[in-house]
Every structure is written in C-alpha cells, then in structure tokens.
C-alpha cells in the first residue's frame, strides 16, 4: 500500500514550480510507484493563459476549485472549468488553459510522469525526464 499526504509531499522534491510562472504541481504518484499512471495536485495561478500539447501523454484534469476555461486549438471550442468539471485530452489535443480565478486541479497522466517534467517549447513533457528521489 502506498499512502501519501499532500501537505507532506509539498515539502519534498515532488513539488514542481513551473519556470514559466503559470503553475505548480505536487506529484503524489509517479512512474516509480508502479501504478501505470501519475497523480498530481496542480495549482494554476490566477491570470495564467498558456498553451500545452501533450504529444507523449494522455491527461485527465478534474477541477476541485477555481474558475477558468480550456480551449481546443484545432476547432476553437471553449469549455468552462468550474468545480466538478473533468476534461480529458484523449486526442493529445493542443489546447490553451486559462485561469480566471486560481484553479486547484487533480491531474492524471498516462504514461506516468517520472517527476521533474516541465513543458518543452511545444508545451509537451519529454518521456525521458529526470525522476525525483523521494
Ligand atoms: C492542467 C495541466 O496540465 N497543468 C500543467 C501542470 C500539469 N498538469 C502537471 O504537471 O501536473
């Protein structure tokens, strides 16, 4: 059994602060845990407006709190994000995420992240990123 606590994990290398200033994420489950997915609690800072394109991963995102929207860039569709919304990037969708009020999100990635991933210039995570040691 693996049991972890968010407040404790935030004090470790599991907490990643994005160099672009848009978000931070505490990665409670990672590849090394052997679950087949990674599980993160992510904060998107108020006012953030940025593009992502997870070419190497599928991602599910559940909104715990805050207010924002996600726009799929191939068709220009905008989907509001409020507490209870789940969006799923099942097509590796290129998208823009906007936080009108700070968003607290749960994010699940398949394949799981190694730990240290931040977005590359395409807005993707590389598959061979460094693992965290805790
Ligand atoms: C929703 C989203 O993709 N935010 C960027 C951070 C990412 N979810 C992560 O690494 O936890």
């Amino acid at each position: 059994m693996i049991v972890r606590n968010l407040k404790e994990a935030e004090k470790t290398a599991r907490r990643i602060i994005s160099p672009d200033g848009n978000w931070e994420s505490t990665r409670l489950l990672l590849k090394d845990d052997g679950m087949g997915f990674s599980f993160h609690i992510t904060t998107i800072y108020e006012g953030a407006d940025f593009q992502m394109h997870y070419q190497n991963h599928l991602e599910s995102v559940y909104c715990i709190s805050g207010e924002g929207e996600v726009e799929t860039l191939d068709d220009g569709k905008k989907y509001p994000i409020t507490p209870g919304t789940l969006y799923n990037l099942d097509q590796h969708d290129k998208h823009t995420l906007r936080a009108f009020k700070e968003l607290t999100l749960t994010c699940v990635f398949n394949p799981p992240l190694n730990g240290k991933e931040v977005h590359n210039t395409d807005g993707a995570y590389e598959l061979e990123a460094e693992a965290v040691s805790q």
Side-chain angles (χ1 to χ4, degrees):
M1 173 100 94
I2 300 166
V3 178
R4 297 208 170 100
N5 175 277
L6 178 61
K7 287 280 167 255
E8 292 303 315
E10 282 170 349
K11 296 175 202 158
T12 73
R14 291 180 176 280
R15 181 176 177 223
I16 300 293
I17 300 175
S18 175
D20 65 12
N22 288 316
W23 57 268
E24 63 173 83
S25 185
T26 300
R27 295 169 171 169
L28 287 168
L29 281 177
L30 288 164
K31 185 178 180 181
D32 277 358
D33 293 308
M35 294 289 288
F37 56 86
S38 59
F39 183 101
H40 321 164
I41 300 296
T42 298
T43 301
I44 311 291
Y45 303 134
E46 183 168 314
D49 181 332
F50 62 107
Q51 276 187 34
M52 290 172 276
H53 190 192
Y54 292 122
Q55 292 145 324
N56 303 316
H57 298 85
L58 301 173
E59 186 192 25
S60 285
V61 180
Y62 177 79
C63 177
I64 298 170
S65 65
E67 191 184 317
E69 71 178 14
V70 60
E71 177 176 354
T72 43
L73 295 180
D74 281 352
D75 57 11
K77 283 192 184 161
K78 293 179 181 177
Y79 302 87
I81 300 171
T82 57
T85 303
L86 176 75
Y87 71 84
N88 300 283
L89 301 166
D90 62 314
Q91 303 296 321
H92 301 278
D93 316 63
K94 191 173 184 181
H95 63 291
T96 294
L97 181 61
R98 301 185 180 97
F100 305 135
K101 291 187 184 149
E102 181 175 280
L103 288 165
T104 304
L105 307 171
T106 298
C107 305
V108 173
F109 278 78
N110 169 22
L113 299 199
N114 295 326
K116 296 278 198 192
E117 289 87 345
V118 291
H119 295 122
N120 67 17
T121 50
D122 292 330
Y125 291 148
E126 306 289 348
L127 286 172
E128 61 277 6
E130 197 185 332
V132 298
S133 53
Q134 316 167 46

